[in-house]
């Protein structure tokens, strides 16, 4: 049986149908082309770029996480941001801690104080900007008045056109000299300081559950300056935004910590003697360098009956607000015991030890109390685990040999004999806290020898001034570096109390 012939169409042969007893041939589907060498190289380059970006961010954030102070963190933020956006200079400004009044904190990179002063004079104009997050000028945007950069920012000319809070995109000015609408004063300052472009990024915490008010919202802004017309690429913007997001959280925590430390330091300062008493026959001076954690070092000087004077110095183990409160209680108790039993320093410290053991059983404390009669130049000293005082004069510089005793709260019953000292006219009795001896890598023997050399090297012209004696000892034992305050290896409080006998 043959298949019927289909009619022909003009010029076209009709297709022959397949036999009924056979299946129709499968229609071939176009296969996906195999990836060529160029596509594979592109994918590898993209993956390598992502790995490089992640590695860079990890290194930069690790360095930032190792900073323990707000100033160090701001400087690290500027250095890292400059490397990410390819700029050479910049500045970062933070609003005051807690959002209260006061001047914002500003740190510059490659900018001196005079340069920062020039930047503060920039007018707050809203000329058109170029790049992500700039928008239009105030004349075109009715909501431009609602756009705020950093509240109370001292640099409105650099930060006035940042996006509103909630938008963390950066603002670029790629060519300030050629930018239309820019205030001529801005061009003059840019020419004076030698920059031609800028890129500013807000420092704003991401919203999240459980965030405290001090760490939420915009806390500041950073701006980097280019010497030539330039702007960061999209990749640089993205990396800078990720880094600044992490940095903002770190800075917010440091701001809260700094504010808490400042409060503790102010409380500690109020608990110590605000004014040293004036007692005939003796002149007093004290130098107090607070540690960053709010330690338990304390001192006191109080007038006693019959023209006597009580001098005390000591410390409590630990740091923080609880230790500061315990220090205040201990000092108040010693004042009461000194008035009642001041002529017997051993009885004063014995009563203090009993009180400490009953009310602060988990703490130990060192203390040294001296009952002075300046008219007779007689001093009776008793110590509980505290360092021996130094006597400094024209003919000698020596430690007072006090008896070796345990700190308060360490034994069931504390008692140690007192020592009588007879300072000569023109000699200074020097009391100091343990923090003066602590420095990284030094043993206690070396620390005592270093302090003795410092006391012996007091200039002749300074020996009649107790303040000058205390300053010389501080500068020699804990030298100042880079304009910072003298400090110890672990950030303890440092106290030097000097009594000059006339």
């Amino acid at each position: 049986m043959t298949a019927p012939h289909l009619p022909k169409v003009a010029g076209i042969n009709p297709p022959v149908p397949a036999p009924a007893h056979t299946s129709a041939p499968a229609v071939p589907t176009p296969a996906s082309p195999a990836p060529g060498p160029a596509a594979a190289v592109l994918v590898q380059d993209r993956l390598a770029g992502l790995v490089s970006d992640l590695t860079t961010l990890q290194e930069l954030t690790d360095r930032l996480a190792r900073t323990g102070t707000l100033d160090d963190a701001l400087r690290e933020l500027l250095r890292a941001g400059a490397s990410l956006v390819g700029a050479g200079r910049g500045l970062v400004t933070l609003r005051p801690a807690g959002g209260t009044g006061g001047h914002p904190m500003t740190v510059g990179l490659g900018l001196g104080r005079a340069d920062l002063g020039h930047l503060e004079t920039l007018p707050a104009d809203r000329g058109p900007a170029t790049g992500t997050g700039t928008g239009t000028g105030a004349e075109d945007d009715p909501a431009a008045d609602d756009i705020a950069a950093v509240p109370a920012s001292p640099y409105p000319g650099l930060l006035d056109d940042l996006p509103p809070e909630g938008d963390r995109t950066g603002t670029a000015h790629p060519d300030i000299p050629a930018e239309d609408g820019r205030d001529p004063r801005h061009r003059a300052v840019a020419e004076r300081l030698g920059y031609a472009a800028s890129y500013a990024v807000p420092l704003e915490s991401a919203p999240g559950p459980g965030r405290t008010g001090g760490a939420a919202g915009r806390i500041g802004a950073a701006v980097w300056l280019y010497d030539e017309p330039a702007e960061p690429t999209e990749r640089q913007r993205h990396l800078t935004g990720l880094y600044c997001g992490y940095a903002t959280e770190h800075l917010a925590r440091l701001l809260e910590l700094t504010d808490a430390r400042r409060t503790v330091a102010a409380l500690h300062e109020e608990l110590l003697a605000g004014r040293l008493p004036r007692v005939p026959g003796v002149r007093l001076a004290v130098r107090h360098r607070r540690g960053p954690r709010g330690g338990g070092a304390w001192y006191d000087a109080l007038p006693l009956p019959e023209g006597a004077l009580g001098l005390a110095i000591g410390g409590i183990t630990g740091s923080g607000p609880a230790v500061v409160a315990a220090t205040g209680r201990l000092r108040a108790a010693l004042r009461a015991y000194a008035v009642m039993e001041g002529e017997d320093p051993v009885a004063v410290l014995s009563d203090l030890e009993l009180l400490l053991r009953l009310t602060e059983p988990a703490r130990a404390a060192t203390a040294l109390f001296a009952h002075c009669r300046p008219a007779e130049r007689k001093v009776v000293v008793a110590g509980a685990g505290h360092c021996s005082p130094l006597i400094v004069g024209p003919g000698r510089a020596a430690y007072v040999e006090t008896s070796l005793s345990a700190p308060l709260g360490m034994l069931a019953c504390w008692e140690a004999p007192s020592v009588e000292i007879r300072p000569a006219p023109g000699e200074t009795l020097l009391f100091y806290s343990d923090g003066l001896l602590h420095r990284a890598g030094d043993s206690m023997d070396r620390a005592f020898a270093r302090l003795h050399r410092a006391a012996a090297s007091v200039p002749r012209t300074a020996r009649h001034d107790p303040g000058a004696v205390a300053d010389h000892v501080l500068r020699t034992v804990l030298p100042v570096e880079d304009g910072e305050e003298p400090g110890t290896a672990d950030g303890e409080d440092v106290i030097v109390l000097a009594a000059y006998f006339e």
Side-chain angles (χ1 to χ4, degrees):
M1 184 176 181
T2 61
H5 293 280
L6 297 178
K8 292 184 178 182
V9 182
I12 300 178
N13 293 325
V16 179
H21 62 277
T22 60
S23 60
V27 179
T29 58
S32 300
V41 170
L42 183 63
V43 172
Q44 291 178 356
D45 290 345
R46 184 176 180 83
L47 290 176
L50 291 175
V51 171
S52 176
D53 291 346
L54 291 176
T55 303
T56 300
L57 285 176
Q58 181 181 3
E59 292 176 354
L60 295 178
T61 53
D62 285 347
R63 285 167 50 183
L64 181 66
R66 288 194 293 268
T67 58
T69 64
L70 191 59
D71 187 71
D72 290 342
L74 292 176
R75 297 187 186 280
E76 178 59 34
L77 165 65
L78 284 176
R79 286 192 293 266
S83 65
L84 288 175
V85 302
R89 292 177 291 173
L91 66 90
V92 59
T93 178
L94 296 182
R95 65 173 63 174
T100 58
H103 202 274
M105 180 179 183
T106 302
V107 172
L109 174 67
L111 297 172
R113 292 187 177 181
D115 299 333
L116 296 177
H118 286 301
L119 293 174
E120 287 185 7
T121 64
L122 293 179
D125 60 355
R126 297 188 184 277
T130 306
T132 304
T134 54
T136 60
E139 64 278 3
D140 299 325
D141 186 1
D145 292 337
D146 299 330
I147 298 178
V150 184
S153 169
Y155 305 99
L158 291 175
L159 305 174
D160 61 339
D161 54 357
L162 283 174
E165 237 177 84
D167 187 351
R168 295 188 289 172
T169 55
T171 300
H173 291 277
D175 193 353
I176 293 176
E179 189 174 308
D180 294 335
R182 178 60 58 185
D183 192 288
R185 288 173 292 177
H186 195 159
R187 292 194 182 94
V189 171
E191 182 179 359
R192 182 184 184 92
L193 300 185
Y195 71 90
S198 66
Y199 181 65
V201 177
L203 300 177
E204 185 170 323
S205 298
R211 183 171 303 285
T212 60
R218 188 166 296 181
I219 64 173
V223 59
W224 290 274
L225 306 176
Y226 297 88
D227 296 338
E228 301 292 338
E231 65 177 314
T233 63
E234 287 298 326
R235 172 176 170 272
Q236 289 175 323
R237 294 171 187 261
H238 179 66
L239 291 178
T240 305
L242 292 176
Y243 177 78
C244 288
Y246 175 84
T248 302
E249 303 300 330
H250 184 66
L251 291 175
R253 290 189 292 268
L254 288 179
L255 275 173
E256 293 180 349
L257 182 60
T258 302
D259 193 31
R261 286 174 174 172
R262 188 178 294 112
T263 302
V264 171
L267 176 61
H268 193 193
E269 200 68 27
E270 288 296 325
L271 292 175
L272 299 178
R275 291 184 178 180
L276 298 176
R278 295 184 177 181
V279 178
V282 65
R283 285 186 286 139
L284 302 175
V286 66
R287 299 295 183 264
H288 181 203
R289 301 289 184 259
R290 293 186 298 270
R293 296 192 300 271
W298 56 275
Y299 69 93
D300 203 357
L302 67 157
L304 297 175
E306 300 179 357
L309 174 68
L311 299 176
I313 191 169
I316 299 180
T317 56
S319 61
V323 171
V324 172
T327 299
R329 293 192 292 268
L330 192 70
R331 176 176 169 271
L334 183 137
R335 282 196 152 206
Y337 300 145
V339 171
M340 294 185 296
E341 306 182 276
E343 294 185 1
D344 186 359
V346 173
V348 172
L349 294 184
S350 296
D351 294 343
L352 193 65
E353 193 275 337
L354 178 61
L355 177 70
L356 183 70
R357 185 153 41 89
L358 294 176
T359 60
E360 308 279 350
R363 301 190 187 279
T366 64
L368 189 145
F369 179 73
H371 181 269
C372 307
R373 289 191 174 274
E376 305 172 14
R377 286 193 294 278
K378 175 184 175 181
V379 182
V380 182
V381 181
H386 202 80
C387 302
S388 301
L390 266 165
I391 189 164
V392 182
R396 62 171 171 169
Y399 287 101
V400 177
E401 295 295 336
T402 57
S403 59
L404 184 64
S405 61
L408 303 177
M410 298 290 290
L411 301 178
C413 182
W414 176 90
E415 187 170 351
S418 59
V419 176
E420 183 177 313
I421 311 171
R422 292 282 185 172
E427 290 188 328
T428 300
L429 197 58
L430 206 65
F431 304 90
Y432 51 93
S433 65
D434 298 344
L436 185 64
L437 301 173
H438 295 169
R439 195 164 69 175
D442 278 4
S443 63
M444 290 305 294
D445 290 341
R446 292 180 59 185
F448 279 113
R450 185 175 65 249
L451 177 58
H452 182 269
R453 289 194 301 269
S457 64
V458 174
R460 185 182 302 274
T461 56
R463 291 176 182 173
H464 300 286
D465 183 357
V469 173
D471 289 334
H472 175 82
V473 170
L474 270 177
R475 286 194 304 266
T476 307
V477 178
L478 297 176
V480 181
E481 296 180 1
D482 298 330
E484 298 178 353
E485 293 287 350
T488 60
D490 50 3
E492 293 184 29
D493 285 7
V494 178
I495 296 174
V496 178
L497 177 62
Y500 173 79
F501 290 85
E502 298 175 339

